Amino acid sequence: MNGVFDLGGTDGLGKVDNDHMSEPVFRADWEKRAFSMFAQSARAGLFNVDQFRHGIEKMEPGEYLISNYYEHWAHSVEHYAAAAGMLDPAELEARTTYYLENPDAPLPQRETDTEIVEFVDWAVTNGFPAHRESDKVAQFSVGDEVVISSESPYGHTRRARYIRGRRGVISAAHGTYLYPDTAGNGLGDCPEHLYTVRFEATELWGAEYADPNGANYFDVWEPYLTLVPATQGV
Amino acid sequence: MTVKPTDTALRSQEEITARVKALEALLIEKGVMTTAAVDRLAEVYENEVGPQLGAKVVARAWTDPAFKERLLADASAACRELGVGGLQGEEMVAVENTDTVHHVIVCTLCSCYPWPVLGLPPNWYKAPPFRARIVREPRTVLAEDFDFPVPDSVEIRVWDSSSELRYWVLPQRPAGSEHLSEDELAALVTRDSMIGVGAPRPVGAAA
């Protein structure tokens, strides 16, 4: 989908707040708690990682830009828990009011369930590889000149706007990976070949505006690509 | 009233805290979460997984050419040799800075980041200004926002982590570090140098 989360190349957002040598990993206790909702909710089957991202993408755009990062995570968890019928938005509002008025009121206790802690340790160590075996034959090779599709799908996709319609050269081919355009929309892994494409900065931004002597690398799945015939432009 | 780091124009920290607590309470009641698992995950990324792990890998690459070759060929496998890997780094790619090429990483679409070697991303990495500008004017952002000028003669390559491949930077070994041990070298490696927005500490600088 086309949204404000697709920030590459956006102007007017100001300087990077680079108090970057001193910030803590978590600036508040609620950030820790929102952070850890992701892994536990994924374990419970509320979403996969691409769906989780799409839940964030669907935030109200003004709110997206001025809220805190882990609020985005909490928003996506809320979104999918409500969609699964696990959470009643009115109940969440009521409980929020309760904790606002009683900030020291305890959380419910359910510490007999050690399985989730064991899962967390397992997941941190092993992760969830996105590589998928497939017998699909790669249509492109390293060195091929390609053009990125300019299509604007409505659902989740990783076709950032700044590379759409642009030409680049494949610099690496990685084999088949789950496809976010299906996985993020609840349509399955549907593995596709994944490539890294190198774009000259001048191709993306124009010779007059590009930083001198630069290139951008972006990973794309095969359905995003069309081959530029070697004879074209000669 | 004191402004807290997580206050926004939308909500105070107290409001955010109450909402996240309410969400956690409901998910605990539904069997999705436990507070013990929350505490465990927070502990992992506060105390166990962080840029000190990436620094260890970089120092090994600086001292062991065969390891460096394996790191550049398959970063995930090389990191596993040192017991480093896992969530959000299942498939890592290390890109090497040289005299003529400088690399920097970003995720313009969300905030993907190689957790096993760098820990959780710093706040500025996740915020809109960095994600918006580093792909369009990297040299300007590095010079002006990070006080890290890169000469025009050096090509800047910006890696946008749009797939599950997690890129990170193998910085150049500091000059005059020939006599240092691997542990002493690791102490020179900064998180920012592995993102590509800074250099390792110079030899002699305190960690």
Short mmCIF file of all heavy atoms in Angstrom, two decimals, chain A residues 176-212:
data_model
loop_
_atom_site.label_atom_id
_atom_site.label_comp_id
_atom_site.label_asym_id
_atom_site.label_seq_id
_atom_site.Cartn_x
_atom_site.Cartn_y
_atom_site.Cartn_z
N THR A 176 15.02 -18.79 -3.05
CA THR A 176 13.60 -18.48 -2.83
C THR A 176 13.30 -18.19 -1.36
O THR A 176 13.75 -18.91 -0.47
CB THR A 176 12.71 -19.62 -3.35
OG1 THR A 176 13.24 -20.87 -2.90
CG2 THR A 176 12.67 -19.62 -4.86
N TYR A 177 12.51 -17.16 -1.17
CA TYR A 177 12.13 -16.68 0.17
C TYR A 177 10.62 -16.46 0.20
O TYR A 177 10.00 -16.18 -0.83
CB TYR A 177 12.83 -15.35 0.46
CG TYR A 177 14.26 -15.55 0.92
CD1 TYR A 177 15.24 -15.92 0.02
CD2 TYR A 177 14.62 -15.41 2.25
CE1 TYR A 177 16.54 -16.13 0.42
CE2 TYR A 177 15.91 -15.62 2.67
CZ TYR A 177 16.87 -15.98 1.75
OH TYR A 177 18.16 -16.20 2.17
N LEU A 178 10.06 -16.53 1.40
CA LEU A 178 8.62 -16.25 1.51
C LEU A 178 8.35 -14.85 0.96
O LEU A 178 9.20 -13.96 1.04
CB LEU A 178 8.12 -16.44 2.93
CG LEU A 178 8.52 -15.52 4.06
CD1 LEU A 178 7.77 -14.20 4.04
CD2 LEU A 178 8.26 -16.20 5.40
N TYR A 179 7.17 -14.71 0.38
CA TYR A 179 6.85 -13.52 -0.41
C TYR A 179 5.94 -12.60 0.41
O TYR A 179 4.80 -12.96 0.71
CB TYR A 179 6.15 -13.98 -1.70
CG TYR A 179 5.84 -12.92 -2.70
CD1 TYR A 179 6.78 -11.93 -3.01
CD2 TYR A 179 4.62 -12.91 -3.38
CE1 TYR A 179 6.49 -10.96 -3.96
CE2 TYR A 179 4.33 -11.95 -4.33
CZ TYR A 179 5.28 -10.97 -4.62
OH TYR A 179 5.00 -10.02 -5.57
N PRO A 180 6.44 -11.42 0.80
CA PRO A 180 5.65 -10.57 1.69
C PRO A 180 4.31 -10.12 1.09
O PRO A 180 3.37 -9.86 1.84
CB PRO A 180 6.56 -9.36 1.93
CG PRO A 180 7.74 -9.51 1.08
CD PRO A 180 7.77 -10.88 0.52
N ASP A 181 4.25 -10.05 -0.24
CA ASP A 181 3.01 -9.60 -0.87
C ASP A 181 1.87 -10.60 -0.69
O ASP A 181 0.70 -10.24 -0.83
CB ASP A 181 3.24 -9.31 -2.36
CG ASP A 181 4.18 -8.14 -2.57
OD1 ASP A 181 5.26 -8.14 -1.96
OD2 ASP A 181 3.84 -7.22 -3.34
N THR A 182 2.23 -11.88 -0.39
CA THR A 182 1.18 -12.83 -0.01
C THR A 182 1.18 -13.04 1.51
O THR A 182 0.13 -12.92 2.14
CB THR A 182 1.36 -14.18 -0.74
OG1 THR A 182 2.68 -14.67 -0.50
CG2 THR A 182 1.12 -14.05 -2.22
N ALA A 183 2.37 -13.28 2.09
CA ALA A 183 2.44 -13.57 3.53
C ALA A 183 1.86 -12.43 4.37
O ALA A 183 1.18 -12.66 5.37
CB ALA A 183 3.89 -13.84 3.94
N GLY A 184 2.11 -11.20 3.95
CA GLY A 184 1.64 -10.05 4.71
C GLY A 184 0.15 -9.81 4.59
O GLY A 184 -0.42 -9.02 5.34
N ASN A 185 -0.46 -10.48 3.62
CA ASN A 185 -1.90 -10.29 3.40
C ASN A 185 -2.68 -11.55 3.72
O ASN A 185 -3.83 -11.72 3.28
CB ASN A 185 -2.13 -9.84 1.94
CG ASN A 185 -1.47 -8.49 1.66
OD1 ASN A 185 -1.72 -7.53 2.37
ND2 ASN A 185 -0.61 -8.44 0.65
N GLY A 186 -2.04 -12.47 4.48
CA GLY A 186 -2.73 -13.67 4.92
C GLY A 186 -2.94 -14.69 3.81
O GLY A 186 -3.84 -15.52 3.87
N LEU A 187 -2.10 -14.63 2.76
CA LEU A 187 -2.30 -15.49 1.59
C LEU A 187 -1.22 -16.57 1.46
O LEU A 187 -1.09 -17.18 0.40
CB LEU A 187 -2.34 -14.62 0.32
CG LEU A 187 -3.43 -13.54 0.30
CD1 LEU A 187 -3.27 -12.63 -0.91
CD2 LEU A 187 -4.82 -14.18 0.29
N GLY A 188 -0.42 -16.77 2.52
CA GLY A 188 0.56 -17.86 2.49
C GLY A 188 1.96 -17.42 2.11
O GLY A 188 2.18 -16.30 1.66
N ASP A 189 2.92 -18.34 2.30
CA ASP A 189 4.33 -18.02 2.07
C ASP A 189 4.67 -17.81 0.59
O ASP A 189 5.48 -16.94 0.25
CB ASP A 189 5.23 -19.14 2.60
CG ASP A 189 5.30 -19.14 4.12
OD1 ASP A 189 4.66 -18.27 4.74
OD2 ASP A 189 5.98 -20.02 4.69
N CYS A 190 4.09 -18.64 -0.30
CA CYS A 190 4.28 -18.51 -1.76
C CYS A 190 5.69 -18.07 -2.15
O CYS A 190 5.87 -16.97 -2.70
CB CYS A 190 3.25 -17.54 -2.34
SG CYS A 190 1.56 -17.93 -1.92
N PRO A 191 6.70 -18.90 -1.91
CA PRO A 191 8.09 -18.46 -2.10
C PRO A 191 8.37 -17.94 -3.51
O PRO A 191 7.87 -18.47 -4.49
CB PRO A 191 8.90 -19.73 -1.84
CG PRO A 191 7.99 -20.67 -1.15
CD PRO A 191 6.60 -20.30 -1.52
N GLU A 192 9.20 -16.90 -3.57
CA GLU A 192 9.65 -16.32 -4.84
C GLU A 192 11.16 -16.08 -4.73
O GLU A 192 11.68 -15.89 -3.63
CB GLU A 192 8.96 -14.97 -5.10
CG GLU A 192 7.45 -15.08 -5.31
CD GLU A 192 7.05 -15.62 -6.67
OE1 GLU A 192 7.95 -15.87 -7.51
OE2 GLU A 192 5.83 -15.82 -6.87
N HIS A 193 11.82 -16.02 -5.90
CA HIS A 193 13.25 -15.73 -5.90
C HIS A 193 13.49 -14.30 -5.41
O HIS A 193 12.75 -13.38 -5.77
CB HIS A 193 13.84 -15.93 -7.31
CG HIS A 193 14.11 -17.37 -7.59
ND1 HIS A 193 15.26 -17.99 -7.21
CD2 HIS A 193 13.33 -18.32 -8.18
CE1 HIS A 193 15.22 -19.27 -7.55
NE2 HIS A 193 14.05 -19.49 -8.14
N LEU A 194 14.54 -14.17 -4.61
CA LEU A 194 14.90 -12.88 -4.03
C LEU A 194 16.24 -12.44 -4.60
O LEU A 194 17.17 -13.26 -4.69
CB LEU A 194 14.99 -13.03 -2.50
CG LEU A 194 15.41 -11.79 -1.71
CD1 LEU A 194 14.30 -10.74 -1.74
CD2 LEU A 194 15.73 -12.16 -0.26
N TYR A 195 16.31 -11.17 -4.97
CA TYR A 195 17.54 -10.61 -5.53
C TYR A 195 17.88 -9.29 -4.83
O TYR A 195 16.99 -8.61 -4.34
CB TYR A 195 17.37 -10.30 -7.03
CG TYR A 195 16.88 -11.44 -7.87
CD1 TYR A 195 15.51 -11.61 -8.11
CD2 TYR A 195 17.77 -12.34 -8.45
CE1 TYR A 195 15.04 -12.66 -8.89
CE2 TYR A 195 17.31 -13.39 -9.23
CZ TYR A 195 15.94 -13.55 -9.45
OH TYR A 195 15.49 -14.58 -10.22
N THR A 196 19.16 -8.96 -4.84
CA THR A 196 19.56 -7.61 -4.44
C THR A 196 19.83 -6.82 -5.71
O THR A 196 20.54 -7.30 -6.60
CB THR A 196 20.82 -7.63 -3.57
OG1 THR A 196 20.58 -8.46 -2.43
CG2 THR A 196 21.19 -6.23 -3.10
N VAL A 197 19.23 -5.63 -5.80
CA VAL A 197 19.43 -4.78 -6.98
C VAL A 197 20.18 -3.52 -6.57
O VAL A 197 19.88 -2.90 -5.55
CB VAL A 197 18.07 -4.40 -7.63
CG1 VAL A 197 18.28 -3.41 -8.78
CG2 VAL A 197 17.35 -5.65 -8.12
N ARG A 198 21.18 -3.18 -7.39
CA ARG A 198 21.94 -1.95 -7.17
C ARG A 198 21.39 -0.86 -8.09
O ARG A 198 21.24 -1.06 -9.31
CB ARG A 198 23.42 -2.19 -7.50
CG ARG A 198 24.27 -0.91 -7.45
CD ARG A 198 25.68 -1.16 -8.02
NE ARG A 198 26.32 0.11 -8.34
CZ ARG A 198 27.27 0.67 -7.58
NH1 ARG A 198 27.71 0.06 -6.51
NH2 ARG A 198 27.80 1.83 -7.94
N PHE A 199 21.04 0.27 -7.48
CA PHE A 199 20.58 1.44 -8.23
C PHE A 199 21.61 2.54 -8.09
O PHE A 199 22.03 2.85 -6.97
CB PHE A 199 19.25 1.96 -7.66
CG PHE A 199 18.13 0.98 -7.68
CD1 PHE A 199 17.92 0.12 -6.60
CD2 PHE A 199 17.27 0.90 -8.76
CE1 PHE A 199 16.88 -0.79 -6.61
CE2 PHE A 199 16.23 -0.02 -8.77
CZ PHE A 199 16.03 -0.87 -7.70
N GLU A 200 21.99 3.16 -9.20
CA GLU A 200 22.84 4.34 -9.08
C GLU A 200 21.99 5.46 -8.47
O GLU A 200 20.80 5.60 -8.79
CB GLU A 200 23.37 4.76 -10.46
CG GLU A 200 24.20 3.69 -11.16
CD GLU A 200 25.34 3.15 -10.30
OE1 GLU A 200 26.03 3.95 -9.62
OE2 GLU A 200 25.53 1.91 -10.29
N ALA A 201 22.61 6.26 -7.60
CA ALA A 201 21.86 7.34 -6.95
C ALA A 201 21.26 8.29 -7.99
O ALA A 201 20.14 8.79 -7.81
CB ALA A 201 22.77 8.10 -5.99
N THR A 202 21.97 8.51 -9.08
CA THR A 202 21.46 9.42 -10.12
C THR A 202 20.19 8.87 -10.77
O THR A 202 19.31 9.63 -11.18
CB THR A 202 22.52 9.66 -11.20
OG1 THR A 202 23.03 8.38 -11.61
CG2 THR A 202 23.66 10.51 -10.67
N GLU A 203 20.07 7.53 -10.85
CA GLU A 203 18.87 6.91 -11.43
C GLU A 203 17.66 7.16 -10.53
O GLU A 203 16.54 7.38 -11.00
CB GLU A 203 19.11 5.40 -11.61
CG GLU A 203 17.86 4.56 -11.87
CD GLU A 203 17.24 4.77 -13.25
OE1 GLU A 203 17.86 5.44 -14.09
OE2 GLU A 203 16.11 4.25 -13.47
N LEU A 204 17.88 7.17 -9.22
CA LEU A 204 16.76 7.33 -8.29
C LEU A 204 16.35 8.79 -8.12
O LEU A 204 15.17 9.09 -7.99
CB LEU A 204 17.13 6.77 -6.91
CG LEU A 204 17.43 5.27 -6.83
CD1 LEU A 204 17.80 4.89 -5.41
CD2 LEU A 204 16.23 4.46 -7.31
N TRP A 205 17.34 9.68 -8.09
CA TRP A 205 17.03 11.06 -7.67
C TRP A 205 17.30 12.10 -8.76
O TRP A 205 16.92 13.25 -8.60
CB TRP A 205 17.85 11.42 -6.42
CG TRP A 205 17.87 10.31 -5.41
CD1 TRP A 205 18.95 9.52 -5.09
CD2 TRP A 205 16.78 9.82 -4.61
NE1 TRP A 205 18.58 8.59 -4.14
CE2 TRP A 205 17.27 8.75 -3.83
CE3 TRP A 205 15.43 10.20 -4.49
CZ2 TRP A 205 16.45 8.05 -2.94
CZ3 TRP A 205 14.62 9.49 -3.60
CH2 TRP A 205 15.13 8.43 -2.84
N GLY A 206 17.97 11.69 -9.84
CA GLY A 206 18.32 12.64 -10.89
C GLY A 206 19.71 13.20 -10.66
O GLY A 206 20.12 13.41 -9.51
N ALA A 207 20.43 13.44 -11.76
CA ALA A 207 21.83 13.86 -11.66
C ALA A 207 21.97 15.16 -10.86
O ALA A 207 22.95 15.36 -10.15
CB ALA A 207 22.43 14.01 -13.05
N GLU A 208 20.98 16.02 -10.98
CA GLU A 208 21.09 17.32 -10.32
C GLU A 208 20.91 17.22 -8.80
O GLU A 208 21.41 18.05 -8.06
CB GLU A 208 20.02 18.26 -10.91
CG GLU A 208 20.19 19.70 -10.50
CD GLU A 208 19.09 20.59 -11.08
OE1 GLU A 208 18.45 20.21 -12.08
OE2 GLU A 208 18.89 21.68 -10.51
N TYR A 209 20.20 16.19 -8.36
CA TYR A 209 19.82 16.10 -6.94
C TYR A 209 20.52 14.98 -6.17
O TYR A 209 20.52 14.99 -4.93
CB TYR A 209 18.31 15.91 -6.82
CG TYR A 209 17.54 16.99 -7.54
CD1 TYR A 209 16.93 16.74 -8.76
CD2 TYR A 209 17.49 18.29 -7.01
CE1 TYR A 209 16.25 17.75 -9.43
CE2 TYR A 209 16.83 19.29 -7.68
CZ TYR A 209 16.20 19.02 -8.89
OH TYR A 209 15.54 20.02 -9.55
N ALA A 210 21.10 14.02 -6.87
CA ALA A 210 21.71 12.88 -6.19
C ALA A 210 23.00 13.30 -5.49
O ALA A 210 23.76 14.11 -6.02
CB ALA A 210 21.99 11.75 -7.18
N ASP A 211 23.24 12.73 -4.32
CA ASP A 211 24.56 12.87 -3.69
C ASP A 211 25.60 12.32 -4.67
O ASP A 211 25.35 11.33 -5.34
CB ASP A 211 24.61 11.98 -2.42
CG ASP A 211 24.54 12.79 -1.13
OD1 ASP A 211 24.41 14.02 -1.20
OD2 ASP A 211 24.61 12.16 -0.06
N PRO A 212 26.76 12.95 -4.76
CA PRO A 212 27.74 12.43 -5.72
C PRO A 212 28.26 11.06 -5.31
O PRO A 212 28.37 10.76 -4.13
CB PRO A 212 28.86 13.47 -5.66
CG PRO A 212 28.71 14.13 -4.32
CD PRO A 212 27.25 14.12 -4.03
#
